[in-house]
Amino acid sequence: MEVMLWVMVWYIGMDIVQVEFETETLCEAAKAKLVEQHDIDRKNIACLKVRG
């Protein structure tokens, strides 16, 4: 059985961070919170659909 996950990927300096989510909605909400609370540029964060 194939499972689809959403992965949020962003970079801070030279580090790449990756976090998995079950839905696109959760991923986008986390992305918005990062932008709001940590002043991270939206263009440095992506929500990607991947096979798990």
Side-chain angles (χ1 to χ4, degrees):
M1 180 180 184
E2 189 174 291
V3 177
M4 299 301 285
L5 298 171
W6 284 88
V7 176
M8 181 173 58
V9 179
W10 74 95
Y11 69 89
I12 302 169
M14 298 300 288
D15 296 325
I16 296 175
V17 181
Q18 174 180 315
V19 181
E20 295 179 359
F21 296 91
E22 293 180 6
T23 67
E24 180 181 18
T25 303
L26 290 174
C27 191
E28 290 295 336
K31 179 178 175 178
K33 197 161 270 262
L34 272 175
V35 169
E36 178 184 312
Q37 292 182 350
H38 300 286
D39 197 30
I40 296 173
D41 192 339
R42 287 188 77 78
K43 70 180 180 180
N44 295 337
I45 307 171
C47 285
L48 310 168
K49 192 173 187 178
V50 298
R51 295 178 187 182

